[in-house]
Amino acid sequence: MYIQQAFKSLHEWWRYLVGFIIIFVASQIGTVPLIIAVILKTVSEGGSIFSIQDQNVLMTVLDSNLTLFLMLLSFAIGLLGVYLVVKYLHNQPFVQLTTSRKKTDWGRVFFGFAVITITTLIATGIDYYSNPEDYVVQFNLVPFIILVAIAVVMIPLQTSFEEYLFRGYLMQGIGVLAKNRWLPLIITSVVFGALHLANPEVEKLGNIIMIYYIGTGFFLGIITLMDEGMELALGFHAGNNLISVLLVTADWTVFQSNSILKDVSEPSAGFDVIAPVLILYPIFLLIMAYRYKWKDWGGKLFGKVEEPIALAEENTQNSTYIE
């Protein structure tokens, strides 16, 4: 079982607290290059460094490709923090944070990637041909090639950091401490969504978009628990962000890029904002459940998390020996 993997490593509560702090600090250190670059650029052009406190201003100070790279760098550093914490603080093989299988199933990763990529391409194509006035083709070969190089390398690092932190580290940590599956699912999903409150999309569309962010957190958590591993979530999250960055951008999104299309329509918080949660995600769940023969939904989503008897006896013996 996926959450039970944590019992094979050092899993005292204080380790997860210290580990989370270390990971948070690492991700914040990763933002320093972006801050320095923006300050240097602003000062060199005679501007005020106080103006960069506005995120919209910060996004326009540097070239969009450079901004994207530096923004994603913080996630890459955060992912390194996760790896070091898991390896040295918990003495846990990284594969056990990834999956309950003996090795990572890359077929599952690519399937999750393909599901959202194909869906996004089809949906965007239909909308483009139905409402061509809402888009501007801004394809520029050289900036786009640079964007592809950055995105292909850095986006998977960004999404993997979020998945390993929420669906991996915190899911397992809260699970072994709470001894159940539903609490880590709820906490990680809500916190994952809440962290998007600072995104410019929330300011533009309103708090209703939080249904999408939190709903996405629940979807990724559910497929992780049902599949006893993060592979599907890793692929899905990477595909969603990668195709979004390369295909369509807008002035009000968190990632503004040299994508193929630019959405120039006036955004509105309609049914389309929550449609993925209410329509697409249930369909994706059915497809994945059929393909991977998922059973015992109640047990896997709401069941207890118990330490395997063999491990419990081994830990007791080791503790007695040490004393």
Side-chain angles (χ1 to χ4, degrees), residues 6-234:
F7 284 117
K8 300 177 182 178
S9 61
L10 304 175
H11 56 275
E12 296 87 352
W13 69 267
W14 63 265
R15 293 182 186 273
Y16 286 98
L17 177 60
V18 173
F20 180 78
I21 293 173
I22 293 173
I23 293 167
F24 174 78
V25 171
S27 66
Q28 295 306 299
I29 291 174
T31 66
V32 173
L34 174 61
I35 296 173
I36 292 176
V38 171
I39 291 176
L40 292 176
K41 181 69 173 180
T42 302
V43 172
S44 68
E45 294 180 352
S48 170
I49 62 173
F50 297 104
S51 65
I52 66 175
Q53 294 178 354
D54 185 332
Q55 185 176 12
N56 292 327
V57 174
L58 184 149
M59 292 291 292
T60 58
V61 171
L62 302 174
D63 170 78
S64 63
N65 279 337
L66 178 59
T67 300
L68 179 65
F69 173 78
L70 293 175
M71 286 182 65
L72 296 176
L73 183 61
S74 65
F75 296 93
I77 300 300
L79 181 59
L80 176 61
V82 173
Y83 176 79
L84 294 176
V85 163
V86 170
K87 181 177 178 62
Y88 295 106
L89 184 60
H90 294 272
N91 196 27
Q92 182 182 31
F94 210 59
V95 68
Q96 290 181 5
L97 190 66
T98 307
T99 182
S100 60
R101 288 166 274 277
K102 293 183 179 180
K103 59 182 181 179
T104 301
D105 186 341
W106 288 100
R108 280 173 154 85
V109 176
F110 292 124
F111 182 77
F113 184 94
V115 165
I116 187 60
T117 298
I118 294 172
T119 302
T120 303
L121 287 173
I122 293 174
T124 303
I126 293 174
D127 192 51
Y128 176 78
Y129 284 105
S130 301
N131 306 284
E133 69 280 1
D134 290 344
Y135 295 92
V136 171
V137 178
Q138 62 168 16
F139 179 75
N140 192 332
L141 182 59
V142 174
F144 182 74
I145 291 176
I146 297 174
L147 171 64
V148 171
I150 293 173
V152 168
V153 174
M154 300 300 290
I155 289 292
L157 295 179
Q158 176 247 327
T159 55
S160 293
F161 166 65
E162 294 182 356
E163 290 308 306
Y164 275 107
L165 176 59
F166 290 100
R167 258 65 64 180
Y169 190 69
L170 294 179
M171 182 76 81
Q172 287 189 352
I174 297 172
V176 298
L177 296 176
K179 300 295 191 296
N180 63 55
R181 289 168 168 258
W182 60 267
L183 187 61
L185 173 61
I186 293 174
I187 292 178
T188 58
S189 301
V190 172
V191 174
F192 172 79
L195 288 180
H196 291 80
L197 272 170
N199 285 16
E201 292 94 332
V202 178
E203 180 181 352
K204 190 71 175 180
L205 297 175
N207 289 332
I208 190 174
I209 197 174
M210 294 306 297
I211 296 176
Y212 167 74
Y213 288 129
I214 295 176
T216 300
F218 272 101
F219 170 73
L220 294 170
I222 289 170
I223 64 177
T224 296
L225 291 178
M226 289 304 303
D227 202 48
E228 298 293 359
M230 289 198 323
E231 291 99 331
L232 289 172
L234 284 168

